[in-house]
Amino acid sequence: MDVKRTGRSRKVLLAVAAAAAVGVAGCSSGGSDRAAAPPVPSDPVSASAGASAGASGTASPEPTEAPTPTVAPAPSATCADTTLLGDTELSGYLVRLPGSLRIIDLGVYMSLDGLHLDTQESKRFCAPVPVKITRFAVRMSQVGPGATGRPSYSYRPLDTVEVPLGPANGVAPGSAPPETSQCSGVLSVVHTGAPVEDTELPERLNLVTPNPAPTGPYSQQVKVTGARLVTAGLVLPADTRGC
């Protein structure tokens, strides 16, 4: 009896020991599985913000184009500013203007069709210059009989007009002298400032008829020397015989 009980007891102990071993192995295996589990991801908002911060930290800014500075145009050196010149200074400037082809020619002169500006491009002024033209009738006569007589003349004031001269070469509008009549010509004196006085008129005029004789009215240059006088021109009738 004792021997059988002992054998049965040993079987019971072995079964218990085996069960205990299985339990221990199960615990060890479960612990291993939990240790190998992947880490829980962090808060998605924080992760996204971190990614954005990283991206902005590494990205280079786009290059911007520097604005082109505005350069003011250089003043023109091809014309003269006459706005601040006085009457005497302006007349002196106009008298000294050279001709467009030859410097010995006049840049400003009177002709049959009016007041001309014909000067070099580098000498022109920037804006039209107002000048005045005082006109006189020149009454011609003869002193002495026949071929021995000499021509004589007298002045009679007609009018004064103001015309714009330039800046381009050409004839000043409104500057043509009035028509002549038999034995009467027209003297046009170009000037600045106050009207021309009788004492400023030429003392002598060349009244000799050109050869060959002209078929119509003709003009000739007249030299004037007053402080405000620029130039003058005389228009004469074609035939002065019998005056």
Side-chain angles (χ1 to χ4, degrees):
M1 284 253 340
D2 295 336
V3 176
K4 289 181 180 177
R5 191 179 292 118
T6 303
R8 195 179 292 118
S9 300
R10 187 176 297 165
K11 288 179 181 179
V12 172
L13 290 174
L14 288 174
V16 171
V22 171
V24 171
C27 290
S28 299
S29 174
S32 243
D33 291 343
R34 283 195 297 271
V40 179
S42 61
D43 183 9
V45 176
S46 302
S48 159
S52 299
S56 63
T58 56
S60 58
E62 293 184 3
T64 55
E65 233 179 275
T68 304
T70 302
V71 181
S76 172
T78 59
C79 65
D81 184 5
T82 59
T83 55
L84 299 180
L85 297 181
D87 293 338
T88 303
E89 295 170 320
L90 179 58
S91 63
Y93 167 77
L94 295 175
V95 168
R96 291 189 296 270
L97 286 177
S100 60
L101 299 179
R102 302 187 306 169
I103 60 174
I104 61 173
D105 293 337
L106 296 176
V108 178
Y109 60 91
M110 281 295 303
S111 187
L112 194 62
D113 56 349
L115 178 62
H116 286 248
L117 173 66
D118 184 24
T119 189
Q120 300 169 8
E121 185 174 357
S122 60
K123 301 294 184 180
R124 293 180 195 166
F125 28 91
C126 301
V129 172
V131 295
K132 295 178 180 178
I133 304 176
T134 298
R135 299 182 284 212
F136 299 84
V138 181
R139 181 67 182 175
M140 293 174 287
S141 60
Q142 183 171 299
V143 178
T148 61
R150 58 185 178 83
S152 178
Y153 58 88
S154 60
Y155 295 118
R156 180 173 60 85
L158 291 177
D159 60 8
T160 298
V161 295
E162 183 173 296
V163 298
L165 179 65
N169 284 347
V171 182
S175 62
E179 294 184 1
T180 61
S181 60
Q182 187 178 10
C183 297
S184 182
V186 177
L187 176 68
S188 299
V189 182
V190 182
H191 61 97
T192 59
V196 177
E197 301 292 339
D198 292 345
T199 55
E200 296 177 296
L201 296 177
E203 293 182 1
R204 296 185 63 182
L205 294 175
N206 181 14
L207 299 181
V208 177
T209 303
N211 188 18
T215 58
Y218 64 97
S219 67
Q220 60 185 32
Q221 298 299 313
V222 177
K223 186 176 180 180
V224 286
T225 57
R228 297 172 292 100
L229 308 187
V230 178
T231 187
L234 176 63
V235 177
L236 294 171
D239 189 4
T240 59
R241 290 174 300 180
C243 294

